[in-house]
Amino acid sequence: MLSGRRLDLLDPTPVDIEIEDIAHGLAFVARWNGQTSGDFAFSVAEHSLLVEEILGRSQPRVQTRWRLAALLHDAPEYVIGDMISPVKDAIGAQYGDLDARLTAAIHLRFGLPAQLPLQVKRDIKKADRISAWLEAVQIAGFTETEATRFFGRPAEAVLDGLEIRLRPPVEVRAAYTARHQELLSAL
């Protein structure tokens, strides 16, 4: 990793995880395989910031640690990249196992349980699907009808004022790192 840490992908440990490595990697990983409009790819880091914001909007009383979990929900992609669900399914259980080991190490590194409570996972997944709907409509060329068919129609109250921001990776990396620090400080 750029931090100098050596991460064993098959046996990751929390001491080998640094937020700067996560933020850097995610800021350079494109969602939608880069097939979006705009001058910059919509990165997984930007997506993660949006998911965390959506979780907070949809559940104003959610605990800070679960907002942190939302920010980190795709963190393993800093080393394994972003793959669409059909590809993950085709690869099979090995991908899921690798993702689970990385997720556990990342969670433990930042004071979260290795495995999130089921309801928290569901809440984050719901925020993730709302983000996907918004991304599909605003930058990936989907009509609202198409996006709704794939991701479900989000409540207007949650969507109100949300707009996809495309920024250079260096800005997104800084925003991700800063938000991570804000959440850790609020725990």
Side-chain angles (χ1 to χ4, degrees):
M1 302 294 111
L2 286 176
S3 66
R5 299 279 189 198
R6 298 293 180 247
L7 179 66
D8 181 346
L9 289 176
L10 301 179
D11 187 24
T13 64
V15 297
D16 294 325
I17 308 291
E18 294 293 340
I19 194 60
E20 293 80 9
D21 293 331
I22 293 171
H24 180 81
L26 295 183
F28 285 91
V29 174
R31 296 259 304 159
W32 303 90
N33 291 325
Q35 298 300 307
T36 54
S37 60
D39 293 333
F40 297 100
F42 188 69
S43 72
V44 174
E46 195 77 77
H47 163 76
S48 298
L49 287 161
L50 183 58
V51 169
E52 186 265 328
E53 182 179 349
I54 290 168
L55 180 68
R57 281 175 170 231
S58 59
Q59 296 188 21
R61 295 179 190 207
V62 67
Q63 293 179 39
T64 301
R65 67 187 189 149
W66 305 140
R67 288 187 76 147
L68 177 60
L71 183 70
L72 295 168
H73 82 282
D74 280 339
E77 294 178 10
Y78 87 106
V79 290
I80 59 175
D82 183 32
M83 282 187 257
I84 59 174
S85 295
V87 173
K88 290 177 187 176
D89 293 343
I91 293 171
Q94 292 89 353
Y95 180 88
D97 292 344
L98 177 61
D99 184 76
R101 285 193 302 274
L102 282 164
T103 297
I106 291 164
H107 283 178
L108 292 172
R109 170 65 174 91
F110 299 113
L112 297 170
Q115 291 191 19
L116 300 177
L118 186 57
Q119 187 58 51
V120 172
K121 286 179 76 167
R122 286 180 181 148
D123 293 341
I124 292 170
K125 187 62 179 172
K126 182 177 179 184
D128 191 33
R129 290 180 67 80
I130 292 169
S131 179
W133 186 93
L134 195 64
E135 294 165 31
V137 169
Q138 290 190 9
I139 60 172
F142 285 55
T143 66
E144 288 190 14
T145 301
E146 289 173 312
T148 299
R149 185 174 53 233
F150 288 107
F151 307 111
R153 174 74 187 185
E156 289 300 323
V158 175
L159 292 177
D160 188 39
L162 283 180
E163 187 174 333
I164 299 294
R165 296 173 288 172
L166 299 175
R167 301 183 280 180
V170 68
E171 287 181 28
V172 179
R173 179 180 63 204
Y176 187 94
T177 305
R179 184 61 183 147
H180 180 265
Q181 184 56 49
E182 289 169 8
L183 290 167
L184 278 182
S185 295
L187 289 176

